[in-house]
């Protein structure tokens, strides 16, 4: 059985992430989307909320599982017998960071974790979670960046924090 992990912060999941999930789910028998529980960042959504959003958005994809992890991705991968990570590449600007991440993961996993990259669909190549949050914070239109239910949750969350 071909399995892969798609790790990320997903704060929040965007249509760009969903596009990668859809496409990767067709390449693997099982795709695990793993939300990083990163205490160092101050996220808009809790890990539980991010997991819930991803579960709702992928409810129509039976081979996609949503999980969360803390610590190193390579440890999570090894504990779950996963050897392939999927990441999206939006532009050349992502490449340097992603290459470093992929090579570090290969090194610290003793070559047990490889990364494959999917080129982000052109219509989402400008999209980032931080951009979505900034647009929403200043009352801009985020309807083309996230599913409708996520847009509602972002607006609600931002209003409750103001
Ligand atoms: O959505 P993001 O924030 O670009 O995802 C980054 C992520 C979660 C894939 C990356 O930060 C990660 O894997 N963090 C876990 C810690 C880790 O394994 N670090 C070692 C490689 S430097």
């Amino acid at each position: 059985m071909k399995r892969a992990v798609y790790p990320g912060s997903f704060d929040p999941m965007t249509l760009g992430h969903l596009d990668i999930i859809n496409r990767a789910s067709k390449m693997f028998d099982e795709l695990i989307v793993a939300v990083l529980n990163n205490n160092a960042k101050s996220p808009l959504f809790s890990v539980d909320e991010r997991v819930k959003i991803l579960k709702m958005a992928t409810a129509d994809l039976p081979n996609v599982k949503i999980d969360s992890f803390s610590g190193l991705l390579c440890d999570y991968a090894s504990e779950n017998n996963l050897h392939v990570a999927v990441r999206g590449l939006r532009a050349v600007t992502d490449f340097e960071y992603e290459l470093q991440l992929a090579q570090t993961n290969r090194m610290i996993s003793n070559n047990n974790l490889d990364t494959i990259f999917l080129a982000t669909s052109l219509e989402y190549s400008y999209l980032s979670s931080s951009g979505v949050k900034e647009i929403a914070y200043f009352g801009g239109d985020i309807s083309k960046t996230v599913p409708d239910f996520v847009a509602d949750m972002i607006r609600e969350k931002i209003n409750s924090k103001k």
Side-chain angles (χ1 to χ4, degrees), residues 45-114:
F45 290 104
S46 69
V47 171
D48 286 350
E49 288 168 328
R50 285 180 266 160
V51 165
K52 186 176 157 197
I53 288 172
L54 281 156
K55 280 188 176 167
M56 287 169 74
T58 60
D60 59 332
L61 300 171
N63 65 333
V64 174
K65 306 271 178 300
I66 314 298
D67 198 5
S68 60
F69 73 104
S70 306
L72 294 176
L73 174 65
C74 73
D75 289 339
Y76 173 80
S78 142
E79 283 154 21
N80 291 281
N81 202 24
L82 293 157
H83 303 285
V84 179
V86 174
R87 294 282 288 170
L89 273 183
R90 288 170 299 190
V92 159
T93 42
D94 280 344
F95 185 73
E96 208 168 325
Y97 168 70
E98 292 296 338
L99 185 66
Q100 189 181 21
L101 199 64
Q103 287 175 332
T104 305
N105 278 326
R106 254 180 84 72
M107 187 269 290
I108 60 179
S109 69
N110 289 321
N111 300 339
N112 272 312
L113 182 61
D114 256 308

Side-chain angles (χ1 to χ4, degrees), residues 4-159:
V5 57
Y6 177 28
S9 301
F10 304 107
D11 184 40
M13 179 211 74
T14 67
L15 289 176
H17 293 130
L18 200 50
D19 173 59
I20 298 290
I21 293 171
N22 264 299
R23 289 160 56 203
S25 73
K26 295 186 181 74
M27 298 170 185
F28 296 93
D29 299 310
E30 184 174 72
L31 179 72
I32 294 157
V33 182
V35 178
L36 175 66
N37 191 353
N38 184 351
N39 295 328
K41 287 189 181 177
S42 53
L44 182 64
F45 290 104
S46 69
V47 171
D48 286 350
E49 288 168 328
R50 285 180 266 160
V51 165
K52 186 176 157 197
I53 288 172
L54 281 156
K55 280 188 176 167
M56 287 169 74
T58 60
D60 59 332
L61 300 171
N63 65 333
V64 174
K65 306 271 178 300
I66 314 298
D67 198 5
S68 60
F69 73 104
S70 306
L72 294 176
L73 174 65
C74 73
D75 289 339
Y76 173 80
S78 142
E79 283 154 21
N80 291 281
N81 202 24
L82 293 157
H83 303 285
V84 179
V86 174
R87 294 282 288 170
L89 273 183
R90 288 170 299 190
V92 159
T93 42
D94 280 344
F95 185 73
E96 208 168 325
Y97 168 70
E98 292 296 338
L99 185 66
Q100 189 181 21
L101 199 64
Q103 287 175 332
T104 305
N105 278 326
R106 254 180 84 72
M107 187 269 290
I108 60 179
S109 69
N110 289 321
N111 300 339
N112 272 312
L113 182 61
D114 256 308
T115 303
I116 64 160
F117 298 106
L118 294 187
T120 301
S121 297
L122 265 184
E123 66 262 45
Y124 304 126
S125 59
Y126 65 93
L127 253 186
S128 70
S129 296
S130 48
V132 172
K133 285 183 279 193
E134 189 162 310
I135 297 166
Y137 189 82
F138 292 109
D141 178 10
I142 52 169
S143 62
K144 292 189 182 71
T145 64
V146 292
D148 290 345
F149 81 93
V150 182
D152 291 342
M153 286 175 77
I154 294 171
R155 282 190 284 260
E156 213 172 286
K157 180 69 88 176
I158 283 177
N159 286 334

